[in-house]
Amino acid sequence: MFRRARILAVVCGVALAAFGASSLHAQNSSTPDSPAAPNPAAKFLKVSVPAYHAEPPKDPLPNTLDPAQFADAQTRNIFTLAAKVKPVLYQEPCYCGCDKEVGHKSLLDCFTDLHGAHCILCKKEAVLTYTESQQGKTAAEIRKEIIDGKWKQVELSDYDTQPPAK
């Protein structure tokens, strides 16, 4: 009996470790991933779309943090982009879990506090939101792309240098 319990505990531990490692890899990967096999745990877990606002804001939006306060160019550049598309970020979900962990209501919230400065996933989603909005896509179209995981294709190293002064 004890032996069966120990074997079951080891199998569960390995499964949980693999699930956690794959989630961490998805958040911290800076290169495009090949399509992943479906997660076997997905049929047991209900995965829902994180918090976002379906409609454009009716009230003034909070400011994003001042990009100048960040030492690294990548974070400065991405916070600069985020400030330019606040109404669109307001309508986008963030898949890093910040809605559950810190109460964020949309991707915009990640850039009104320090969370967006440290989260690779938030940065990728913000860059995708900016670039797609510049191509004329609507917030709903961008939301679908975020939900579909297109943010994984964003190369953050493209934002590592400060652009030339204009």
Side-chain angles (χ1 to χ4, degrees):
M1 178 72 176
F2 180 70
R3 183 172 181 236
R4 284 186 188 169
R6 189 171 22 177
I7 291 171
L8 181 60
V10 168
V11 169
C12 288
V14 169
L16 285 173
F19 179 74
S22 68
S23 295
L24 182 62
H25 173 72
Q27 180 174 347
N28 291 327
S29 176
S30 63
T31 59
D33 292 331
S34 58
N39 184 338
K43 64 182 174 184
F44 301 109
L45 302 173
K46 278 195 167 186
V47 179
S48 60
V49 176
Y52 69 92
H53 303 278
E55 301 294 325
K58 292 178 178 47
D59 298 320
L61 293 171
N63 289 326
T64 57
L65 295 181
D66 181 1
Q69 71 181 303
F70 300 107
D72 67 291
Q74 182 186 94
T75 302
R76 276 194 310 275
N77 291 333
I78 293 171
F79 269 78
T80 299
L81 299 179
K84 293 177 181 181
V85 292
K86 290 188 318 183
V88 184
L89 291 176
Y90 175 84
Q91 295 180 72
E92 305 305 333
C94 181
Y95 274 89
C96 77
C98 60
D99 62 326
K100 291 179 179 67
E101 292 177 21
V102 291
H104 285 175
K105 302 295 183 203
S106 71
L107 183 56
L108 175 61
D109 291 343
C110 301
F111 296 90
T112 61
D113 65 24
L114 289 172
H115 180 80
H118 306 289
C119 182
I120 292 170
L121 197 148
C122 296
K123 288 179 178 182
K124 286 184 172 200
E125 289 179 351
V127 167
L128 177 70
T129 299
Y130 176 81
T131 57
E132 297 298 277
S133 68
Q134 295 306 297
Q135 294 178 13
K137 293 194 178 173
T138 66
E141 291 170 324
I142 297 168
R143 184 179 318 119
K144 181 180 179 334
E145 291 179 343
I146 289 174
I147 292 168
D148 291 345
K150 189 173 179 183
W151 55 267
K152 293 177 187 177
Q153 298 170 5
V154 172
E155 183 56 56
L156 291 179
S157 64
D158 293 346
Y159 301 87
D160 284 346
T161 58
Q162 192 69 18
K166 293 184 181 180

